[in-house]
């Protein structure tokens, strides 16, 4: 029987691109590389306008903070260092590089010359850091910090291959096309963390990958493939751990609190590259789909490529095009312009038409309560948030909401439940911050 | 620069809408309506259509007067109208469903904020309102199936002489025989328009469950607790099983358990809450049938449980994933 969790929803999968092999995208005239593509402090630029850069050259870092370096994804000249507003509203410094189409590799890049067995965890962590590896499932937490914090704590290494968001097939394709790289990356993680084996958690809608992995795995003692029921949000780390081990990450806690650490397969491949060739993360696999893009496909794009360039490469957009989502349709962020760029955390670009749903009223059908895998009562949270009674929202557990969107997806009244809860969470955080400041002031 | 539409996630929604959910409820109600027309004649249809028209008209008028967005297209007023008519005897004067429908929508639903905001089931509250205001039309006796078929569909009011018979409910204590039980199951008995055929109501229940409009919790706990209580404390000289079966198949219990206790706005959100609510409805229905001066208890039972829903939701708030402090207690 497949592993699963309580709650969640069966979504319309729309994995239209599952049969489309990833194509390389090499033509951006310019790339704009944000100095902050991860959770943590932004990088300080290491290049200035006019500098020549090569593919893989480190162009930004901040060694004294939780930070992950960024690298040039094309070779060419830095033509601008400019602040741009990103979707969060923050102004982030971007290094704009004009592509010389030479793809000159950075001469400093080289792989490790020792066999894996002789590498220490510290050496691996340093390599992972200098290659700028972040969690590529979307959260973009610096991977070196994750490995470091899991050392000695994590007993279970889980490779999260669920890919439960509709539309997205980027990881699915990666696993089909480069199974060896995925498995080698996992072996490095096993070695670095000092665990006995890795659990590969994969949804049962990817049977071809399961079969392929079973054939490719040479050392059966190291890999344990666990098939999960296809259900959204199976890819949420809390739900994967619950499905596999029946353990709940405590509210506000991390996977390490229950002895687990999770990595995405693309992250594993990036770790493998960082060690084998020294190649940092300069390319990202993304799925381009949605009913308003002419040629949906899977792409491997240089980091910093603009959404507009991607759209052009995919045959352009249809007339009805009105919304661009970076990420999956359930948790992705709507973008306000085509000038935004693909970062290390981008998993998909969805070109969609206008929203058809008109916000209505809660009819108290209870579908959201059944869908919530955090076991909250979304209908009540939304109602109290609408009335700005944030204290009540806090008592009802608003801070446990992971914003997966299940409640809003199933709502027949088309209430923007998640947005109401987000509002409440923002207000609660603000109130807590004020309370803390007050306490410190005394 | 062309700006794109920015909307909060999720960017994808299920196809289900309030209107599609209500359409499913209407479909689930239709076997009982068709049966009603078959046993009671076309007057049953007239009463039902008037009730529906009154509900929809009242909502449209309310939205118009208060300058709100028209909400009649969500079909919930149609459902209220149907359920109200199902709770009326076929012999009521034709102005009665109009008053009832207007009361249900204007007073019970719209004044409290419209769909999802009312704390009492509009159709049931209207039924009780009519019951207390016009007892001579609402209580006591019902048209027997054969006699009712001859009623004029359009006569404003009709005399009850010659067509009425006491309800089975008021006579089950003196014992019922097996054939009567079968008639009660199929609906070949006197009673309110929509409540007589238990078979049709169960078909409706099945449809609602298959379409996932409702869950099993409320109807099952309601009917099971009602049945068990009747079985454990039988009245009259009949054997316990046949008394309990007759109780289950008479009056409005089945209609209440399937279509009225499960009303979204006035029933709990949580699974545990629904179980408590269902048992409460079942227990109170038995209580009213045994100890009140009215023959029927389902309406009062459900309305009373409606008022507890806020507290039941609080008490049964699920344990949060990952633990953490519990709230609302």
């Amino acid at each position: 029987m497949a592993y699963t969790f309580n709650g969640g929803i069966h979504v319309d999968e729309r994995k239209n691109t599952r049969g489309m092999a990833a194509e390389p995208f090499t033509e951006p005239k310019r790339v704009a590389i944000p100095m902050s593509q991860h959770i943590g402090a932004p990088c300080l630029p290491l290049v200035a306008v006019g500098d020549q850069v090569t593919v893989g050259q480190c162009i930004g870092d901040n060694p004294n903070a939780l930070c992950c370096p960024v690298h040039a994804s094309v070779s060419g000249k830095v033509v601008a260092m400019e602040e741009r507003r990103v979707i969060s509203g923050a102004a982030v410094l971007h290094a704009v590089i004009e592509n010389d189409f030479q793809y000159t590799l950075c001469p400093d890049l080289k792989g490790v010359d020792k066999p894996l067995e002789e590498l220490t965890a510290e050496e691996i962590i340093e390599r992972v850091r200098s290659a700028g590896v972040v969690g590529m499932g979307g959260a973009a937490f610096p991977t070196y910090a994750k490995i470091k914090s899991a050392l000695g704590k994590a007993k279970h290494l889980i490779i999260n291959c669920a890919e439960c968001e509709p539309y997205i097939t980027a990881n699915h394709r990666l696993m089909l096309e480069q199974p060896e790289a995925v498995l080698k990356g996992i072996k490095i993680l096993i070695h670095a963390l000092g665990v006995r084996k890795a659990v590969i958690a994969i949804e049962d809608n990817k049977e071809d990958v399961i079969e392929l992995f079973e054939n490719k795995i040479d050392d059966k003692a190291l890999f344990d493939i666990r098939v999960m029921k296809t259900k959204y949000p199976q890819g949420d780390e809390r739900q994967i751990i619950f499905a596999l081990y029946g353990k709940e990450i405590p509210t506000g806690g991390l996977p390490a609190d229950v002895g687990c650490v999770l990595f995405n397969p693309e992250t594993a491949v990036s770790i493998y590259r960082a060690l084998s060739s020294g190649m940092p993360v300069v390319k990202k696999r993304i799925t381009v789909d949605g009913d308003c893009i002419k040629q949906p496909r899977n792409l491997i794009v240089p980091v910093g490529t603009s959404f507009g360039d991607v759209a052009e490469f995919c045959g352009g957009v249809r007339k009805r095009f009105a919304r661009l989502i970076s990420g999956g349709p359930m948790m992705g962020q709507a973008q306000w312009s085509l000038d935004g760029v693909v970062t290390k955390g981008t998993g998909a670009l969805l070109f969609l038409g206008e929203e058809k749903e008109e916000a209505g009223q809660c009819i108290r059908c209870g579908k959201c309560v059944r869908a919530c895998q955090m076991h909250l009562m979304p209908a009540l949270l939304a109602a109290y948030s609408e009335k700005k009674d944030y204290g009540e929202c806090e008592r009802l557990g608003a801070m446990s909401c992971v914003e997966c969107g299940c409640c809003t997806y199933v709502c027949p009244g088309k209430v923007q439940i998640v947005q109401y809860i987000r509002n409440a969470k923002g207000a609660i955080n603000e109130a807590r911050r004020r309370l803390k400041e007050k306490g410190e002031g005394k | 620069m062309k700006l794109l539409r920015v909307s909060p996630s999720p960017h994808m929604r299920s196809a289900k809408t309030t209107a599609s959910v209500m359409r499913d409820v209407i479909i689930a109600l239709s076997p009982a309506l068709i049966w009603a027309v078959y046993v009671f004649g076309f007057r049953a249809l007239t009463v039902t259509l008037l009730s529906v028209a009154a509900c929809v008209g009242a909502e449209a008028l309310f939205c118009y007067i208060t300058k709100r967005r028209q909400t009649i297209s969500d079909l919930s007023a149609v459902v209220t109208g149907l359920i109200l008519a199902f709770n009326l005897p076929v012999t009521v004067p034709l102005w009665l469903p109009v008053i009832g429908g207007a009361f249900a929508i204007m007073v019970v639903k719209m004044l409290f904020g419209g769909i999802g905001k009312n704390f009492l089931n509009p159709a049931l509250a209207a039924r009780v309102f009519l019951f207390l205001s016009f007892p001579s039309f609402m209580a006591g006796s019902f048209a027997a199936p054969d006699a009712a078929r001859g009623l004029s569909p359009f006569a404003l009011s009709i005399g009850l002489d010659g067509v009425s018979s006491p309800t089975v409910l008021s006579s089950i204590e003196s014992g019922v025989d097996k054939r009567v039980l079968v008639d009660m199951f199929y609906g070949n008995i006197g009673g309110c328009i929509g409540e007589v055929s238990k078979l049709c109501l169960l078909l409706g229940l099945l449809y609602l469950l298959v379409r996932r409009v409702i869950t099993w919790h409320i109807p099952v706990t309601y009917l099971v607790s009602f049945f068990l209580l009747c079985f454990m404390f039988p009245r009259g000289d009949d054997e316990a099983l046949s008394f309990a079966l007759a109780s289950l198949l008479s009056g409005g219990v089945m209609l209440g358990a399937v279509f009225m206790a499960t009303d979204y706005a006035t029933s709990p959100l949580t699974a545990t809450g629904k179980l408590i609510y269902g048992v409460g409805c079942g227990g109170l229905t038995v209580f009213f049938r045994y100890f009140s001066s009215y023959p029927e208890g389902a309406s009062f039972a459900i309305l009373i449980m409606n008022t507890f829903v806020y507290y039941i939701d609080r008490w049964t708030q699920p344990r949060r994933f990952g633990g953490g402090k519990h709230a609302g207690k």
Side-chain angles (χ1 to χ4, degrees):
Chain A
M1 216 195 75
Y3 294 88
T4 192
F5 58 97
N6 304 320
I9 52 173
H10 294 279
V11 288
D12 182 2
E13 287 190 12
R14 304 191 192 176
K15 303 256 190 196
N16 316 314
T17 53
R18 77 167 74 213
M20 298 180 187
E23 303 161 58
F25 179 111
T26 50
E27 305 302 326
K29 287 197 190 73
R30 283 177 171 207
V31 293
I33 298 179
M35 287 293 136
S36 179
Q37 299 182 36
H38 51 263
I39 294 177
C43 297
L44 306 170
L46 299 174
V47 291
V49 176
D51 287 0
Q52 280 288 331
V53 293
T54 51
V55 177
Q57 181 182 336
C58 185
I59 58 169
D61 196 358
N62 184 354
N64 302 320
L66 174 66
C67 177
C68 206
V70 293
H71 303 80
S73 57
V74 296
S75 59
K77 197 164 98 177
V78 179
V79 291
M81 299 294 289
E82 59 188 28
E83 285 208 327
R84 292 187 186 178
R85 291 248 168 236
V86 295
I87 195 68
S88 68
V92 172
L93 193 63
H94 285 60
V96 184
I97 303 170
E98 194 150 87
N99 194 351
D100 60 9
F101 298 100
Q102 301 300 312
Y103 300 100
T104 323
L105 270 187
C106 178
D108 302 338
L109 304 179
K110 50 179 187 290
V112 286
D113 37 18
K114 282 194 277 187
L116 179 60
E117 292 71 35
E118 291 173 22
L119 285 173
T120 63
E122 286 67 36
E123 282 172 303
I124 294 173
I125 289 171
E126 186 41 45
R127 274 274 168 175
V128 168
R129 186 188 182 283
S130 59
V133 183
V134 299
M136 291 175 131
F141 186 78
T143 301
Y144 82 91
K146 196 181 204 175
I147 301 178
K148 219 184 217 173
S149 68
L151 280 181
K153 265 188 168 178
K155 291 191 290 288
H156 307 287
L157 165 62
I158 303 165
I159 307 302
N160 182 352
C161 309
E163 200 165 48
C164 58
E165 279 255 16
Y167 288 108
I168 310 184
T169 58
N171 280 336
H172 187 172
R173 292 308 312 178
L174 170 75
M175 293 185 282
L176 279 181
E177 291 162 21
Q178 302 183 330
E180 286 90 359
V182 176
L183 296 175
K184 281 175 181 162
I186 299 173
K187 275 187 185 168
I188 296 170
L189 282 167
I190 294 175
H191 176 71
L193 291 163
V195 292
R196 270 192 307 116
K197 59 172 186 178
V199 169
I200 298 177
I202 187 159
E203 280 192 340
D204 58 10
N205 61 358
K206 291 181 259 295
E207 277 170 4
D208 44 359
V209 176
I210 298 168
E211 206 175 300
L212 183 69
F213 275 7
E214 273 167 358
N215 291 330
K216 291 279 175 195
I217 289 173
D218 43 3
D219 195 344
K220 297 241 186 292
L222 282 184
F223 301 97
D224 192 352
I225 298 178
R226 304 270 182 99
V227 181
M228 329 283 291
K229 215 164 125 184
T230 301
K231 190 165 70 165
Y232 181 84
Q234 182 63 76
D236 180 348
E237 55 192 19
R238 296 168 196 80
Q239 303 311 327
I240 283 212
I241 293 171
F242 181 79
L244 290 174
Y245 304 109
K247 286 183 191 165
E248 294 182 7
I249 299 177
T251 304
L254 293 168
D257 296 335
V258 287
C260 294
V261 61
L262 292 93
F263 294 93
N264 160 282
E266 199 175 353
T267 312
V269 170
S270 301
I271 292 171
Y272 165 66
R273 294 242 173 79
L275 268 74
S276 65
S277 65
M279 193 63 190
V281 179
V282 292
K283 284 183 180 160
K284 182 70 181 88
R285 281 180 171 254
I286 60 169
T287 297
V288 183
D289 202 348
D291 52 359
C292 289
I293 189 80
K294 288 195 178 140
Q295 299 160 12
R297 47 175 65 170
N298 276 303
L299 295 177
I300 304 172
V301 292
V303 167
T305 307
S306 79
F307 300 148
D309 285 348
V310 173
E312 206 175 301
F313 188 79
C314 294
V317 295
R318 294 185 197 283
K319 250 204 187 123
R320 292 181 295 115
F321 170 62
R323 291 180 297 160
L324 170 60
I325 313 303
S326 164
M330 298 299 291
M331 292 190 75
Q333 278 191 317
Q335 305 290 321
W336 45 269
S337 112
L338 284 169
D339 295 341
V341 296
V342 173
T343 68
K344 295 174 194 173
T346 310
L349 290 180
L350 304 177
F351 295 81
L352 307 174
E354 282 285 2
E355 215 170 7
K356 290 187 283 290
E357 292 83 12
E358 208 179 313
Q361 283 217 38
C362 172
I363 57 172
R364 283 180 56 93
C365 63
K367 285 181 197 295
C368 54
V369 178
R370 291 197 286 285
C372 184
Q373 82 283 359
M374 299 304 287
H375 312 324
L376 305 173
M377 295 168 83
L380 294 189
L381 286 169
Y384 283 115
S385 174
E386 191 182 0
K387 296 272 172 293
K388 298 199 164 42
D389 186 349
Y390 300 126
E392 194 58 38
C393 291
E394 192 173 6
R395 279 191 289 283
L396 287 166
M399 297 313 281
S400 290
C401 173
V402 297
E403 303 175 20
C404 64
C406 287
C407 51
T408 315
Y409 178 88
V410 296
C411 181
K414 308 298 167 199
V415 179
Q416 286 282 11
I417 304 174
V418 175
Q419 189 54 33
Y420 278 121
I421 300 178
R422 264 188 214 116
N423 293 349
K425 284 168 76 175
I428 294 166
N429 273 331
E430 178 67 19
R432 285 183 181 174
R433 196 181 56 78
R434 279 214 198 113
L435 204 68
K436 209 175 146 198
E437 271 175 11
K438 224 177 172 182
E440 279 164 4
K442 270 175 193 167
Chain B
M1 187 174 64
K2 191 196 164 200
L3 288 179
L4 304 173
R5 173 83 63 202
V6 176
S7 50
S9 67
H11 308 283
M12 195 175 147
R13 307 295 193 84
S14 77
K16 280 228 166 86
T17 62
T18 303
S20 78
V21 170
M22 293 302 160
R23 199 181 312 127
D24 275 343
V25 179
I26 293 168
I27 292 170
L29 285 163
S30 51
L33 178 60
I34 293 166
W35 179 264
V37 176
Y38 169 69
V39 287
F40 296 129
F42 278 97
R43 192 174 174 86
L45 191 63
T46 317
V47 171
T48 307
L49 289 178
L50 278 173
S51 168
V52 170
C55 286
V56 175
E59 185 160 322
L61 187 66
F62 189 95
C63 292
Y64 177 76
I65 294 173
T66 57
K67 297 193 174 71
R68 285 177 205 195
R69 195 160 54 106
Q70 270 302 341
T71 49
I72 52 170
S73 59
D74 67 24
L75 299 181
S76 67
V78 176
V79 171
T80 303
L82 283 170
I83 293 179
L84 172 63
F86 277 24
N87 278 296
L88 302 176
V90 69
T91 48
V92 292
L94 294 183
W95 47 264
L96 202 79
V98 177
I99 293 183
F103 179 84
I105 296 296
M106 292 261 190
V107 179
V108 188
K109 181 180 172 189
M110 298 314 279
L111 281 182
F112 286 92
I115 188 166
K117 302 280 202 298
N118 49 295
F119 74 102
L120 291 179
N121 183 321
L124 266 183
R127 187 221 177 157
V128 169
F129 164 73
L130 295 177
F131 193 79
L132 300 176
S133 313
F134 309 100
S136 57
F137 299 120
M138 294 290 293
S141 55
F142 291 102
D146 296 330
R149 261 185 222 137
L151 294 175
S152 156
F154 304 114
L156 189 60
S157 57
I158 44 169
L160 286 173
D161 302 334
V163 294
S164 65
S165 65
T167 63
V168 185
L169 191 54
S170 46
S171 62
I172 49 173
E173 281 177 30
S174 47
V176 281
D177 90 60
K178 299 274 180 303
R179 261 172 312 156
V180 179
L181 281 181
V182 173
D183 271 349
M184 289 163 81
F185 181 68
Y186 287 118
N188 213 2
I189 49 167
C192 289
I193 289 173
E195 73 183 20
V196 286
S197 173
K198 309 307 177 281
L199 175 67
C200 289
L201 293 172
L202 287 175
L203 281 177
L205 172 63
L206 194 67
Y207 181 79
L208 291 180
L209 290 175
V210 169
R211 298 282 296 163
R212 299 187 181 200
V213 173
I214 59 170
T215 60
W216 60 269
H217 302 81
I218 292 174
V220 169
T221 48
Y222 189 158
L223 294 174
V224 166
S225 61
F226 175 84
F227 181 82
L228 284 180
L229 279 170
C230 290
F231 182 72
M232 286 188 293
F233 308 104
R235 298 200 129 191
D237 10 282
D238 215 355
E239 55 168 325
L241 182 65
S242 101
F243 170 78
L245 276 176
S247 300
L248 190 66
L249 296 175
S250 60
V253 175
M254 195 77 81
L255 176 64
V258 176
F259 289 105
M260 303 195 292
T262 55
D263 172 44
Y264 285 154
T266 56
S267 63
L269 287 168
T270 63
T272 325
K274 286 179 206 280
L275 298 178
I276 295 171
Y277 175 85
V279 171
C281 285
L284 282 175
T285 305
V286 174
F287 177 84
F288 283 114
R289 279 203 181 174
Y290 281 22
F291 303 114
S292 81
S293 54
Y294 299 110
E296 179 53 283
S299 305
F300 293 110
I302 296 170
L303 282 176
I304 287 175
M305 288 312 290
N306 282 172
T307 62
F308 282 101
V309 165
Y310 173 83
Y311 297 99
I312 294 176
D313 272 343
R314 297 247 133 186
W315 299 330
T316 60
Q317 194 187 326
R319 181 193 160 277
R320 252 182 264 163
F321 185 98
K325 248 188 288 164
H326 233 301
K329 279 196 174 170

